[in-house]
Amino acid sequence: MYAHVLLAKPARSTQKIFSYSVPDELKDKIQVGQQIMVPFGKRRDLGYVVGFSETAEVEKTKDILEIVSEEPLFDAKQLELAKWMAEYYCCFLMAAVKLMIGADAARNKKQETRTKQEPSNNIQIPKLREAQGKALSEIEKAIEKKQAETFLLYGVTGSGKTEVYMRAIAKVLELGKSAIVLVPEIALTPQMVERFVGRFGEQVAVVHSHMTLKQRRVARDWVAGGEKRIVLGARSALFAPVQDLGIVVIDEEFEGSYKQDKSPRYHAREVAKKLCEIHQAVLVLGSATPSIETFFEVKHRLSLPERINQQPMPEVEIVDMRKEHKGALSQKLRDLLVETFEKKEQSILFLNRRGFFTFLMCQKCGFSFSCPTCSVSLAYDHHDKKLRCGHCEYKIDPPRSCPRCNEEALRFFGTGTQRIEQEVAKLLPRARIMRYDRDTVTKRGSHEKLFKTFSEGEADVLIGTQMIAKGLDIPSVTMVGAVSADIGLQFPDFRSAETTFHLLTQVAGRAGRHHLPGKVVIQSYTPEHYAIQAAAKHDYESFYNQELKHREELSYPPFSKLITLVISGKNGAKVSKIADDLAGFLKKGGSVARVLGPVPAVLSKIRGDYRYRILLKGKDLPAMRNLVCETMEKTVVPTDVRVIVDVEPMALL
Ligand code: ADP
Ligand code: ZN
C-alpha cells in the first residue's frame, strides 16, 4: 500500500505529490487528511496524506515514518476544493490546503458568557411577506432537489433578506444538513451575529480571526462532528469542516473583502460556487447592489422590492463643486453641518480615499484626463512628473490649461484630506469631532470602540474613509456628506465607477435609518456622471445598464477574464528585465489573451520595491491560466524579485 503525500513546506520543488510506502503497523490507522512525518532527501519533513494506491508509481519508495495527527485535518471534499483552488488561482496546493487546516469555527465571547444558548421564544418569527415567501420557496425547492444552484436575493437593506436566509437555513437544518453564512467582516456585523444566535442558539459557530489554537481545535470538533450546523464568519468560514453542506449564504457579495489579498488570491464567491457544486448545495448571494458580474451572470434572481417597514430611502442632493469656491466643503454642506449640530443630532463626513494617488482635474469644468485606449484615469507620477495610464504604456506631460475649457484651472486632487477636519473645526468650534481611517486604526477592537463611542453620542461629527461606510446604524445620525465623491471615480481602475457607486450607496444608507429623516449630500465636480446620478436616486439598475455598456465597449469583465502579474523588487533594473521576459513569453502565447504591459504599476514603488504590471485580457480563463503557469515554469526568477499572479483581480494597482 502506498500513500500520496503532499509536503507541508510550500515551494515550487515540493508541490509534486510524492509516493511513500505505508509500513504494516500503520496500515489500519492511516487516513486522508492526516499529518505525517516522512524522510525527504537527507531530512525529515512534515506532510499530509492526500490519497492511496496499491501500486507504486516510482521504483523506489521510502517508508512513512510516523503519523503525527491521528485525527484527519481535512476530508476528501475539502481536498477536492483545495485542488480546484490551486489550479484556478495558480497557487501552491499546499497554500490552499493550509486554508482547510487553518479554518475553524469558535464560539464568540458573548456566547460563552451566556449560560444557555437555546433559541429564545421571546423571538417572534414573522409571517413572510409575499415576495419573501416566493423567494424562499424557490430556494427550498433547490435545497430539496439537491441542486447546486446559485440565487441572487436582490433587495435593499431592510427588505427582509436576512429573514429569508434564516428560513432557508431552518429548512437545511430540518434535512439534517449544515449551512455556511458569510459576512464581509464579522466585527462590522454584530447585529447579524445576534440575530443568528437568537434564532438558532447553540447550533451557531461564529468564526473570527483572533482565536487560540485550543479554541480552534474545540470548534473544529464541534463543526466536524455536526454538533454545530451553522458556521457564520468572514470568507475563511468557507473552509470549516462542515458535514453535509446544504446551503451557503453570502451577504453583500460585492464587498472587496471577499477577495483574499495574499496567496491563494481567491474570491469567496467563486470558491463558494465550487464548494456548492461539490456538496450539491445551494448558493444564495444577497445584495441591493450586486457586483456587475453577479447581476450579469446569475440567472435566478429573486427580488424583494420593498422595505418591510415601508420607510423611504433618504433624500440625496448632489452639489456641483464647479460652482463652489470656498475650500473643500460646499455652502450646502456647511449649512447642514451647522443645522444638524444645533439640533443636537449627528453628522458623518465621508472622504473617499483609497490608497495614495494624485490626479489632475479642472476646477472650472470638471475635466479630467483618461487613457484613450483603456478609458481609466491617468494618475500623476511624482517621480517623472507625467500623467500615466495604469494599464498600458500611454503617458503625457500635464498641460498648463484645460484641454476642454482652456482655463488655467487644473488642480491636483487626491491628497490633503486632513484639511477637512480643520475646516469643520473652524466652522463648528464647539463641536466634538472624531476622525477615523485606516491610519488611525491600529488596535483590534477599534471598530467596536468606534461604534460604541459614536453611537453613545460622544461626538457630533464623525470624519472617516470608506471604513465608516459600513455597518454603522445609529438613530441620531441624520446627515451624511460625501465630501469627495470624485476621488473614487478618478481612481485609475476599471472598477472605479462600480466601487464609487457602492460606496456612495452605502454612505447614503447611514443617514436617517430610524424615525428621524435623513439628509445626504454628495459633492462632485462631475455631477452628471452616471455612478453619482444613480447613487443619488438609489437606482441600481440604471447604474448597471450604463456600466455594463461601458464594460462591453472596452471588453472588461464580465465580457472578458483578467489575470495580472505584478513583478516587484528592490533592484529596479532586474525587476524590469524579468517583467520584460515574462511579457515576452506571454505574448508568444498567441491568441489566448491580449497581453498589456509590462508597465510601472499605479503604485509604482511601495516601500522601496519597484512594481511592474502585466495584464492579460481574454475569454478563455483556463487557457490563460495554463499560459501563465507555463510562463512561470519557464522563467527563472531571481530570489530578490517577486512575481504575484492574480487571477480575476479586484483592482489593478
Ligand atoms: P435585510 O436583510 O434585507 O436588511 P431583514 O431581514 O433584516 O432585511 O429585515 C428588516 C427588518 O424587518 C428586520 O427587523 C426583520 O426582523 C423585519 N422583518 C423581516 N421580514 C419580516 C416580515 N415578513 N414581517 C415583519 N417583519 C419582518
Ligand atoms: Zn491605457
Side-chain angles (χ1 to χ4, degrees):
M1 181 184 183
Y2 301 90
H4 302 158
V5 175
L6 175 68
L7 292 176
K9 230 178 264 149
R12 218 186 284 185
S13 59
T14 58
Q15 284 311 286
K16 263 179 59 189
I17 306 280
F18 295 93
S19 281
Y20 284 89
S21 34
V22 183
D24 282 341
E25 69 272 19
L26 297 183
K27 270 184 183 149
D28 295 337
K29 290 189 219 155
I30 198 155
Q31 294 178 55
V32 165
Q34 279 174 336
Q35 195 182 46
I36 52 166
M37 190 64 83
V38 292
F40 187 74
K42 291 200 180 96
R43 301 185 312 254
R44 293 154 55 93
D45 258 326
L46 282 176
Y48 296 91
V49 182
V50 296
F52 299 102
S53 61
E54 284 309 315
T55 52
E57 279 134 36
V58 285
E59 240 170 66
K60 263 171 71 185
T61 53
K62 294 179 182 168
D63 271 2
I64 288 174
L65 299 174
E66 60 176 308
I67 293 174
V68 180
S69 73
E70 295 284 332
E71 286 296 312
L73 298 175
F74 51 86
D75 61 30
K77 283 185 170 149
Q78 286 180 299
L79 180 61
E80 188 182 344
L81 186 68
K83 284 182 177 165
W84 175 86
M85 286 179 74
E87 196 188 310
Y88 195 95
Y89 292 106
C90 295
C91 71
F92 293 137
L93 177 56
M94 191 56 224
V97 164
K98 248 196 185 148
L99 292 171
M100 314 295 158
I101 297 168
D104 297 79
R107 294 169 198 254
N108 71 352
K109 282 215 182 77
K110 265 195 207 100
Q111 274 178 270
E112 273 172 4
T113 52
R114 257 175 231 184
T115 44
K116 258 206 172 135
Q117 290 181 56
E118 297 293 306
S120 156
N121 284 343
N122 310 334
I123 293 279
Q124 289 283 323
I125 297 181
K127 193 174 165 304
L128 291 186
R129 301 289 166 86
E130 199 187 333
Q132 285 175 309
K134 261 196 195 150
L136 179 65
S137 83
E138 291 288 314
I139 298 169
E140 283 184 341
K141 257 187 253 161
I143 293 170
E144 276 167 357
K145 280 198 241 152
K146 294 188 75 168
Q147 275 169 347
E149 265 179 57
T150 302
F151 294 95
L152 169 64
L153 191 58
Y154 173 52
V156 293
T157 308
S159 61
K161 296 187 295 294
T162 308
E163 188 59 40
V164 174
Y165 304 153
M166 292 197 291
R167 295 294 179 90
I169 288 166
K171 177 77 188 177
V172 162
L173 296 186
E174 220 179 276
L175 297 172
K177 296 178 174 215
S178 312
I180 294 176
V181 182
L182 302 191
V183 290
E185 260 179 85
I186 199 84
L188 293 180
T189 36
Q191 283 124 331
M192 190 85 155
V193 174
E194 297 231 322
R195 280 174 76 181
F196 270 80
V197 172
R199 182 77 56 100
F200 298 106
E202 284 277 8
Q203 300 182 87
V204 183
V206 179
V207 177
H208 53 112
S209 46
H210 320 292
M211 290 187 312
T212 63
L213 265 170
K214 194 177 159 211
Q215 279 176 318
R216 278 175 195 277
R217 199 158 308 133
V218 172
R220 164 170 286 278
D221 291 347
W222 282 335
V223 174
E227 191 187 322
K228 290 189 181 286
R229 294 194 163 272
I230 303 170
V231 181
L232 174 61
R235 58 172 189 259
S236 66
L238 283 175
F239 309 115
V242 292
Q243 297 307 297
D244 220 346
L245 185 67
I247 191 170
V248 176
V249 172
I250 305 184
D251 194 39
E252 304 294 17
E253 58 79 41
F254 64 86
E255 285 284 353
S257 60
Y258 285 123
K259 169 96 173 170
Q260 176 153 297
D261 58 6
K262 55 177 197 248
S263 177
R265 295 183 158 71
Y266 70 91
H267 197 296
R269 187 175 55 226
E270 294 309 313
V271 176
K273 261 183 222 161
K274 183 64 193 177
L275 183 66
C276 288
E277 215 178 284
I278 293 173
H279 283 266
Q280 292 176 300
V282 170
L283 175 61
V284 177
L285 308 174
S287 179
T289 55
S291 64
I292 298 292
E293 283 97 324
T294 293
F295 208 66
F296 183 76
E297 279 157 17
V298 179
K299 302 284 174 295
H300 300 280
R301 191 182 300 163
L302 309 170
S303 298
L304 303 181
E306 278 179 1
R307 289 185 142 183
I308 297 287
N309 61 8
Q310 309 280 321
Q311 194 187 31
M313 302 298 277
E315 197 185 301
V316 181
E317 187 173 329
I318 303 172
V319 173
D320 186 344
M321 289 303 280
R322 291 171 300 195
K323 297 185 181 133
E324 302 281 331
H325 302 285
K326 264 191 282 167
L329 303 178
S330 61
Q331 196 53 50
K332 180 80 203 176
L333 199 52
R334 290 165 169 270
D335 292 347
L336 281 172
L337 275 167
V338 173
E339 197 184 309
T340 311
F341 178 64
E342 280 169 357
K343 279 196 284 187
K344 295 197 165 50
E345 292 168 6
Q346 290 173 296
S347 303
I348 295 180
L349 290 184
F350 166 77
L351 313 172
N352 190 345
R353 177 159 158 262
R354 261 175 83 209
F356 298 90
F357 77 101
T358 308
F359 64 96
L360 196 58
M361 188 163 71
C362 174
Q363 254 187 306
K364 269 270 147 50
C365 76
F367 177 85
S368 65
F369 296 83
S370 60
C371 172
T373 32
C374 308
S375 170
V376 296
S377 292
L378 301 181
Y380 181 69
D381 191 327
H382 296 273
H383 298 292
D384 64 359
K385 303 198 163 39
K386 299 225 187 273
L387 289 166
R388 65 162 94 241
C389 175
H391 298 199
C392 75
E393 289 87 352
Y394 186 77
K395 61 180 173 187
I396 54 167
D397 290 313
R400 288 198 133 261
S401 54
C402 173
R404 187 158 73 194
C405 71
N406 270 325
E407 294 278 342
E408 288 200 14
L410 294 172
R411 221 191 87 193
F412 290 106
F413 282 79
T415 47
T417 42
Q418 296 86 336
R419 241 186 36 219
I420 308 286
E421 191 176 356
Q422 293 162 6
E423 277 192 38
V424 177
K426 230 161 117 193
L427 180 71
L428 301 170
R430 282 177 302 120
R432 294 157 304 166
I433 303 169
M434 217 165 124
R435 210 189 134 92
Y436 191 77
D437 56 34
R438 216 170 270 280
D439 310 333
T440 62
V441 183
T442 43
K443 275 177 278 162
R444 69 176 201 216
S446 295
H447 276 304
E448 289 92 330
K449 236 183 259 164
L450 166 92
F451 270 56
K452 208 163 168 288
T453 323
F454 191 61
S455 65
E456 283 168 358
E458 294 285 308
D460 305 297
V461 183
L462 175 65
I463 303 176
T465 56
Q466 51 270 28
M467 300 184 73
I468 59 169
K470 289 156 205 163
L472 282 177
D473 185 359
I474 300 166
S476 58
V477 172
T478 56
M479 206 284 279
V480 170
V483 177
S484 48
D486 296 303
I487 295 186
L489 282 180
Q490 301 305 329
F491 208 62
D493 185 87
F494 76 96
R495 270 188 238 269
S496 62
E498 184 178 12
T499 37
T500 301
F501 175 80
H502 283 146
L503 282 169
L504 291 178
T505 313
Q506 283 182 331
V507 171
R510 296 306 115 209
R513 292 171 73 88
H514 297 264
H515 57 285
L516 297 171
K519 278 233 167 73
V520 179
V521 171
I522 297 177
Q523 300 193 149
S524 172
Y525 285 91
T526 50
E528 63 285 342
H529 193 287
Y530 60 90
I532 290 178
Q533 288 290 333
K537 293 188 192 108
H538 310 283
D539 186 353
Y540 172 75
E541 282 173 49
S542 102
F543 168 72
Y544 169 81
N545 289 328
Q546 292 180 76
E547 177 67 8
L548 197 72
K549 237 189 275 160
H550 180 71
R551 299 274 183 100
E552 188 167 23
E553 275 162 20
L554 297 154
S555 75
Y556 282 123
F559 299 97
S560 70
K561 297 284 182 186
L562 305 180
I563 298 180
T564 60
L565 283 82
V566 173
I567 304 98
S568 63
K570 298 260 183 279
N571 183 332
K574 244 192 214 176
V575 173
S576 151
K577 161 95 176 43
I578 297 296
D580 285 338
D581 289 353
L582 286 168
F585 271 128
L586 290 168
K587 282 174 183 165
K588 277 190 216 129
S591 59
V592 167
R594 274 186 65 202
V595 180
L596 299 162
V599 291
V602 174
L603 306 172
S604 60
K605 211 174 166 192
I606 301 181
R607 277 176 246 106
D609 279 347
Y610 291 90
R611 299 172 79 246
Y612 284 81
R613 211 199 32 243
I614 301 170
L615 172 65
L616 277 83
K617 218 183 204 186
K619 299 258 182 233
D620 184 350
L621 191 61
M624 288 160 66
R625 265 192 320 254
N626 287 345
L627 176 63
V628 170
C629 289
E630 221 174 90
T631 304
M632 293 292 287
E633 272 160 29
K634 275 193 206 146
T635 314
V636 182
V637 180
T639 48
D640 57 346
V641 174
R642 226 161 88 88
V643 181
I644 286 171
V645 175
D646 195 348
V647 176
E648 300 182 324
M650 284 301 276
L652 305 179
L653 297 182

